[in-house]
């Protein structure tokens, strides 16, 4: 396993981040525990979750599954950089969601209890809260930091200008501010290259891409359909039909390389500037092992150029659309 620093911090994290969103809804607790143990065996020390995972009436269940795994001891907590998120509503009453100082305090305490730990390594804001002033947000995060309940703060799904606003406000308070941004980023969805990646690079944020296979469409979907191993429905089917020619060209390229499409998609993200670790969210052990293969894939410049031809990206704004 290779490790890198999370943004401008001294924190070392693995080049793959274990996403846990499926733990509970799709993966039973014993299987989730085996996946986490196997992740450690392969050197993955960076785990991502959120307080709302478990969804619906089971919000918080995923954190509980991780907490029960930590409680088994054996260095599980000590070897893990645990990242969780807040923002989504955890109840029906006011102040049970978003980024008020009140909810930040309550949400953190609730996550600590479910995770059965005394601190969160990376506490991420799952979405921007346009009604909460940054002075309020940073004051609340500073209190949690001083109490030792959180170590670092990250963002998720922020625009580039929102990252800039957050960092400038934090700097005025002599606070470290954001150290990471978790964004939708993959070969098919490259909008963050316009402003989010440049902002992250400028302010020293590590980028943590989510949905690296674009909902499975970059994981060999056409071949799986032909083999009867996958049936695409709903929005995924609409996206597939819209981009079928490009996905077919991509799978043909992967076949030429002798590599699995999912491995190439992950390996490509690892070449991107500012990217720390793509999030892989396995439902099974086999899916985790498949993701680990990407670390052995080396993409030369010719292959990177061909990928850009199939899935054109963006230059930094404004050059992308202006002189």
């Amino acid at each position: 396993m290779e490790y890198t620093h999370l943004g401008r911090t001294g924190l070392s994290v693995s080049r793959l981040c274990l996403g846990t969103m499926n733990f509970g809804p799709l993966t039973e607790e014993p299987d989730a525990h085996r996946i986490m143990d196997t992740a450690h065996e392969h050197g993955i020390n960076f785990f991502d979750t959120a307080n709302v995972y478990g969804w619906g009436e089971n919000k918080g269940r995923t954190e509980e599954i991780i907490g029960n795994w930590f409680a088994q001891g054996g260095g599980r907590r000590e070897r893990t950089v645990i990242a969780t998120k807040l923002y989504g509503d955890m109840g029906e009453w006011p102040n049970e969601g978003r980024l008020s100082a009140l909810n930040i305090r309550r949400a953190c305490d609730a996550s600590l209890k479910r995770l059965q730990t005394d601190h969160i390594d990376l506490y991420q804001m799952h979405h921007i809260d346009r009604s909460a002033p940054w002075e309020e947000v940073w004051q609340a995060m500073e209190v949690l930091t001083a109490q030792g309940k959180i170590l670092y703060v990250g963002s998720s799904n922020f625009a580039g200008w929102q990252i800039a606003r957050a960092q400038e406000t934090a700097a005025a308070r002599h606070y470290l501010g954001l150290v990471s941004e978790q964004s939708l980023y993959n070969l098919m969805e490259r909008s963050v290259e316009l402003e989010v990646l440049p902002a992250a690079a400028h302010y020293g944020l590590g980028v943590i891409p989510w949905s690296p296979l674009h909902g499975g469409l970059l994981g060999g979907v056409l071949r799986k359909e032909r083999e009867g191993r996958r049936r695409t429905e709903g929005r995924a089917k609409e996206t597939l039909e819209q981009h079928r020619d490009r996905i077919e060209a991509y799978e043909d390229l992967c076949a030429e390389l002798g590599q699995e499409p999912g491995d190439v998609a992950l390996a490509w993200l690892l070449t991107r500037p500012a990217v720390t670790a793509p999030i892989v969210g396995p439902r099974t052990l086999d899916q985790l092992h498949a993701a680990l293969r990407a670390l052995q894939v080396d993409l030369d410049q010719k292959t990177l150029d061909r990928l850009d031809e199939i899935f054109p990206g963006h230059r930094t704004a404004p050059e992308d659309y202006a002189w």
Side-chain angles (χ1 to χ4, degrees):
M1 178 58 63
E2 296 180 3
Y3 298 88
T4 188
H5 288 136
L6 180 61
R8 68 193 185 282
T9 74
L11 182 66
S12 293
V13 295
S14 49
R15 290 305 313 272
L16 291 180
C17 178
L18 181 70
T20 63
M21 188 172 65
N22 290 319
F23 295 176
L26 298 176
T27 305
E28 296 296 329
E29 182 164 342
D31 293 330
H33 288 183
R34 281 190 286 271
I35 289 172
M36 289 187 281
D37 282 333
T38 303
H40 269 187
E41 290 169 7
H42 288 276
I44 296 177
N45 75 331
F46 192 18
F47 292 10
D48 175 76
T49 191
N51 60 354
V52 294
Y53 290 173
W55 309 110
E57 296 179 355
N58 295 313
K59 290 177 182 177
R61 177 61 183 144
T62 303
E63 286 186 329
E64 290 175 350
I65 289 172
I66 298 170
N68 292 338
W69 182 73
F70 283 156
Q72 295 177 29
R76 286 174 172 83
R77 176 64 184 98
E78 292 77 9
R79 293 197 300 266
T80 302
V81 175
I82 187 65
T84 193
K85 299 183 283 290
L86 82 153
Y87 177 85
D89 291 335
M90 294 296 288
E92 298 179 355
W93 279 75
N95 303 309
E96 291 190 286
R98 298 182 178 262
L99 300 178
S100 68
L102 178 59
N103 186 57
I104 289 173
R105 174 181 177 177
R106 287 176 174 173
C108 181
D109 286 343
S111 284
L112 289 172
K113 183 177 181 180
R114 287 189 292 265
L115 289 166
Q116 300 188 52
T117 187
D118 63 353
H119 75 280
I120 294 163
D121 299 304
L122 177 62
Y123 202 35
Q124 302 163 110
M125 293 170 275
H126 216 158
H127 194 279
I128 190 72
D129 184 350
R130 296 178 178 86
S131 64
W134 276 111
E135 291 79 8
E136 177 182 2
V137 172
W138 285 138
Q139 183 182 54
M141 294 296 186
E142 289 165 10
V143 170
L144 293 180
T145 303
Q147 293 173 336
K149 293 180 178 180
I150 66 172
L151 300 183
Y152 302 97
V153 180
S155 59
S156 182
N157 308 306
F158 275 31
W161 77 270
Q162 291 162 345
I163 291 172
R165 175 65 174 158
Q167 294 305 80
E168 295 301 327
T169 309
R173 300 176 64 88
H174 305 288
Y175 186 62
L176 184 63
L178 301 173
V179 303
S180 64
E181 160 60 21
Q182 190 177 132
S183 288
L184 172 62
Y185 188 29
N186 55 57
L187 276 165
M188 292 183 65
E189 178 48 72
R190 300 176 61 170
S191 300
V192 293
E193 294 173 349
L194 283 163
E195 298 194 17
V196 174
L197 293 192
H202 177 78
Y203 287 105
L205 276 64
V207 175
I208 309 168
W210 60 267
S211 195
L213 304 187
H214 206 60
L217 295 181
L218 293 168
V221 62
L222 294 179
R223 187 187 68 192
K224 291 175 182 177
E225 279 194 346
R226 289 192 298 268
E227 296 172 351
R229 293 190 292 128
R230 175 170 179 144
R231 181 180 178 183
T232 306
E233 299 176 340
R235 292 175 63 182
K237 183 178 181 180
E238 294 176 8
T239 305
L240 174 59
E241 293 307 317
Q242 182 181 357
H243 300 284
R244 180 173 287 271
D245 290 345
R246 292 200 295 167
I247 294 173
E248 186 173 3
Y250 171 67
E251 292 191 16
D252 289 344
L253 172 59
C254 294
E256 291 177 27
L257 298 173
Q259 302 288 354
E260 292 292 325
D263 299 352
V264 173
L266 283 171
W268 176 81
L269 277 172
L270 292 171
T271 71
R272 300 297 89 194
V275 167
T276 295
I279 297 175
V280 296
R283 296 189 304 274
T284 65
L285 273 176
D286 286 344
Q287 290 181 347
L288 174 61
H289 287 300
L292 287 163
R293 288 197 308 261
L295 298 172
Q296 309 304 319
V297 176
D298 185 22
L299 302 178
D300 59 24
Q301 189 58 49
K302 180 181 178 181
T303 300
L304 294 173
D305 291 342
R306 291 183 67 184
L307 289 170
D308 281 337
E309 291 173 3
I310 297 170
F311 299 112
H314 296 278
R315 292 182 295 166
T316 301
E319 286 83 0
D320 189 79
Y321 48 78
W323 58 271

